[in-house]
Structures are given as structure tokens and as C-alpha cells.
Amino acid sequence: MTASAAELLATAPCGVFSIDVDSGRILYANAAAARITARSRDTLVGVAVADLFTAEFGPVLTDLIVAASTSDYDSPIAASAHLDGAPEGASPTAVSMLANSLRAESGALTVTMTLHNETERRVREKDLVDARRNAEAAQDDAEAALDRSQHALGASEQARKQAEAEKTQVQILASTLQRTLLPPILSAPHGMNVAAHYHPVSIDEVGGDFYDVFPLDTNTWGFFLGDVSGKGAGAAAVTSLTRYTLRAAAVFDRNPISVLENLNTVLHHEFHGDDPRFCTVVFGTITPGPDSAVVDLASGGHPPALLVTRDAEVEYVNTAGGQLVGALSEPHFASASVTLRAGDVMAFYTDGLTEAIVGPGRTRFDDDGSLESFVTERGPTTAAKIVDDLTALLASFGDGLQDDVALLAFGVPSTVTDASTGP
């Protein structure tokens, strides 16, 4: 036998004896045989194998050795026995065995006997059965967990689809409500052009920005642009009330200061309790002439309008000091009057434009006068062009744009053919 085979035999889990047939004594015993018989390997060598078993098994063992020594090597002989030497009061150790004959090169005949401790075997078999059952139980648990996971995944997917459907419905409702708060068509004053744009920061919520242009009589038009505090349904209610109040107030007294005072009375009365609401508003009238237009306006806490002349000069219309509409019982409003000549444009906007967060320093866009610089760089303009330029500017802010923006511009065209109305 090779060295590797000898090592495998020595460390085999079952006991192995080599027995001399003539003397019946053990020639070799491995470590497992020593463990099973509770003797050392050295002690086992030379011991009569019959002495290892109880007396009643002697004849059976003799017959087993004789049968193995006269049978084919490939046909092992099986038997069961009890080892001798059990402690007093304890049951003898039961073993099962297989015996094979082997003729050595010297011609001597030996029998190799393999022993298995039945108690150990049953323990191993039980362990194997338990392991198999545990594996099957683990597999069942894994399959059940997989089923639960697939069910949860299905439920999650269903919830996601439902959430998307609800979100889409909210967006549709918000968009529909927003459209009802803005005029579908702007009425341009005679001989002038007008353009407007509304940029919502979110399609999920109704914003509070608004604008309108409407005729007061055959010679004068009214206009307004503003921003209600908050968002959602509450802001929409205030926006709707504000728009109709401004229109109604202008019919009775078109003086811009008087119109804002009437609006303040309504808002302060309706929303001064637990849910105060206010807005910034600029209201004005436009009276076109043959080649010019007079704009009278008043501001309640709103950013100043931009005046761009036909010579590309840019300046703010001074309405400083105007206070929020609806916040105080008796606020102060600031007024101004501007005459637009041919080629001049006046632009209005809400503070979502000037307060957009930009740059690595995350500062507000107009903190350093960037809006005036932006408009100045574009030279002479028209109502439609300045609204287009500012709309492109809004798109460049990305997620820095944190509030809705409304834009409105008027212009006296350089020629009559230049007059147009923008959406």
C-alpha cells in the first residue's frame, strides 16, 4: 500500500483491523479501531481478535474469519457483535463489521475487518437526517421568503403605479386650476404690443403668481401682475379673489392707489385670522397715444418694473416704499407715471426671477444687479423679445429657481406694423 493510502486508512472514520488467519491475532489497527474498542493502537496489535468481543460471539467470529479467508475479496462478509469490557452496569458496545480476505506478497493470508460503532453510526445517521430536515426546512423558509418578497414587490409596484397615477392626476388638476387663474388671451392696448409668460417651479402645486391685461374703456387699459403668499389651494383661492377684486375695483375707480387700497380692504378682512394671506401687486393703467403711451401705476411691495428705452438705456421705475397688500389695515402704496415713446418697453416680473439661487456661492441672482445688466446687454428690445430672453434666463437657473415666475411686458412699436400681442 502506498504512503498516501496508509495515511487515509489510518485516519479513516471507521475502525480497521488486519488479522492473521492462522493465529487470529491483530496485525494492524487504525485510530478509529482504537477509539471504538477503547484501547490504544499499540495494545491492540498482537491481541486475539476474539478477546475483543463478548463470549457468545466467539463461534460467530471464528466462522466469519474462516468464511472471509475462503471467499472472494470483492464479496465482504457482514456480521454484528458486542465488544467485551463494558463498564459494570453499562450495555456492551454494539458494532457492525465487514470482513474481506487478502493474501500478502509473502503468501500469508490475512483478513481485513472494518468496524462501525452502532451508537456512533445511529448518531451520524440522525445528524444526517436532522441536517437534511433542516436543509429542507431552510429551503421551505427560503421559498416562503421568496414568495413574500415577490408578493411585497408586486404590492410595491402596484403602490408605485397608484402613486404615479395619483401624482399625474394632481398635476393635471394643478395645471387646470393654474390655467383658470391666468387670462387665456391678453388684450393689447391699441397700437401697442404685449407679451407674457408664466413659469411654474413645480407642476405638482398651484402657484400664487398672476397677471392680466383688460380694457377699461375705448382709450384706457388696465393691467396687473402680482404674487400671492404660499402655494396650493389656499393660494389659488387668494389669487382668484385678488384678480376679480382688482378688475372690479378698477371699474369704479381706476386710480392705481385706490385700486390697491380696495384690494387691501378685501384681503385684510378675509385673511387676517389664523391663516393670514397677503400679496405683492403692481396695478396700472395704460393710455395709448399716436406714437406713445402713458402708464400710471402703483406698487404694493412689488419689485420695480424695468424700463428699456429705444436707445437701449435701462432703468427701474421707482416705486420704493410700497407695502404688502393685505398684511396691514392701512398700508402705504407707491405710485409712478411713465410715458413710453416709440421703441420703449416696460417689463414686469415676480420675485421668483430675482431671488433664484445661482453660482458656486449660492447667492440670489439679483443681489449684485444682475437683472439690469442682463437686460442692458441685450440692447433695444420689444415686449415679445424681452419676455423670450427672460424665459430663457429662467430655464438656465435649473434647480436654483425656487419659486414661480410671472412675466409681463408692454411696448410701443417703432412702427405701426411692429404692433403684436404675445401669449
Side-chain angles (χ1 to χ4, degrees):
M1 123 183 0
T2 64
S4 59
E7 291 175 357
L8 291 174
L9 184 62
T11 58
C14 59
V16 178
F17 293 141
S18 290
I19 305 167
D20 179 66
V21 172
D22 294 334
S23 64
R25 295 186 178 276
I26 297 174
L27 300 175
Y28 168 84
N30 69 352
R35 186 189 72 254
I36 293 172
T37 59
R39 305 189 186 196
S40 69
R41 294 178 66 184
D42 292 340
T43 302
L44 286 172
V45 175
V47 171
V49 70
D51 294 343
L52 298 178
F53 300 93
T54 54
E56 64 271 15
F57 192 70
V60 176
L61 182 60
T62 301
D63 293 342
L64 180 66
I65 294 175
V66 172
S69 63
T70 59
S71 65
D72 182 39
Y73 178 76
D74 293 328
S75 301
I77 307 301
S80 297
H82 288 84
L83 291 173
D84 195 11
E88 185 176 353
S91 300
T93 301
V95 297
S96 60
M97 62 188 71
L98 292 175
N100 296 84
S101 62
L102 178 65
R103 189 172 295 279
E105 294 180 358
S106 62
L109 184 64
T110 61
V111 171
T112 299
M113 185 176 292
T114 304
L115 302 179
H116 294 272
N117 186 318
E118 286 297 294
T119 302
E120 293 180 355
R121 183 182 63 79
R122 285 191 292 270
V123 170
R124 286 196 300 270
E125 289 179 351
K126 182 178 182 303
D127 290 342
L128 290 174
V129 170
D130 290 344
R132 184 177 70 253
R133 289 175 177 172
N134 291 338
E136 291 174 350
Q139 183 177 357
D140 291 342
D141 290 343
E143 292 176 352
L146 179 60
D147 289 342
R148 291 193 298 271
S149 177
Q150 291 175 338
H151 178 74
L153 182 61
S156 175
E157 179 64 14
Q158 184 64 28
R160 183 189 66 79
K161 290 180 179 179
Q162 183 175 351
E164 287 182 352
E166 291 175 352
K167 181 179 180 181
T168 300
Q169 186 65 22
V170 168
Q171 292 171 351
I172 292 173
L173 291 174
S175 177
T176 301
L177 181 56
Q178 190 72 68
R179 285 196 299 270
T180 66
L181 301 176
L182 299 174
I185 299 176
L186 293 178
S187 178
H190 295 317
M192 298 184 67
N193 54 34
V194 59
H197 176 73
Y198 181 80
H199 187 102
V201 71
S202 171
I203 61 176
D204 298 330
E205 287 188 305
V206 180
D209 293 14
F210 57 91
Y211 60 82
D212 201 358
V213 181
F214 53 96
L216 291 172
D217 55 39
T218 56
N219 297 317
T220 304
W221 272 255
F223 72 91
F224 55 78
L225 179 140
D227 182 5
V228 167
S229 61
K231 292 184 181 298
V238 180
T239 299
S240 180
L241 178 61
T242 298
R243 289 185 69 250
Y244 291 109
T245 300
L246 287 171
R247 273 180 167 259
V251 171
F252 291 100
D253 186 348
R254 65 186 60 179
N255 179 284
I257 292 288
S258 298
V259 172
L260 293 188
E261 287 175 344
N262 280 322
L263 175 61
N264 185 81
T265 298
V266 172
L267 293 184
H268 187 67
H269 178 268
E270 291 292 330
F271 300 103
H272 70 281
D274 295 335
D275 185 23
R277 294 282 182 167
F278 52 85
C279 62
T280 66
V281 183
V282 57
F283 174 86
T285 61
I286 303 174
T287 305
D291 56 359
S292 64
V294 177
V295 181
D296 294 310
L297 57 87
S299 174
H302 201 79
L306 275 169
L307 174 63
V308 185
T309 71
R310 61 187 177 186
D311 302 319
E313 294 180 355
V314 179
E315 62 181 68
Y316 286 107
V317 178
N318 185 11
T319 52
Q323 296 176 317
L324 295 173
V325 182
L328 304 172
S329 59
E330 296 183 1
H332 170 75
F333 301 126
S335 62
S337 182
V338 178
T339 299
L340 300 179
R341 300 172 300 165
D344 291 350
V345 171
M346 184 178 287
F348 303 85
Y349 51 90
T350 52
D351 60 8
L353 168 63
T354 55
E355 295 182 359
I357 304 301
V358 298
R362 304 300 290 170
T363 58
R364 294 188 301 181
F365 166 68
D366 198 40
D367 279 353
D368 56 358
S370 295
L371 178 59
E372 184 177 1
S373 299
F374 176 85
V375 175
T376 301
E377 290 172 358
R378 278 142 187 83
T381 189
T382 65
K385 185 176 185 302
I386 195 170
V387 168
D388 287 343
D389 288 341
L390 291 176
T391 299
L393 176 63
L394 294 175
S396 72
F397 291 151
D399 60 5
L401 190 64
Q402 300 181 336
D403 197 3
D404 301 334
V405 178
L407 303 173
L408 177 65
F410 298 99
V412 178
S414 298
T415 63
V416 176
T417 56
D418 289 339
S420 63
T421 301

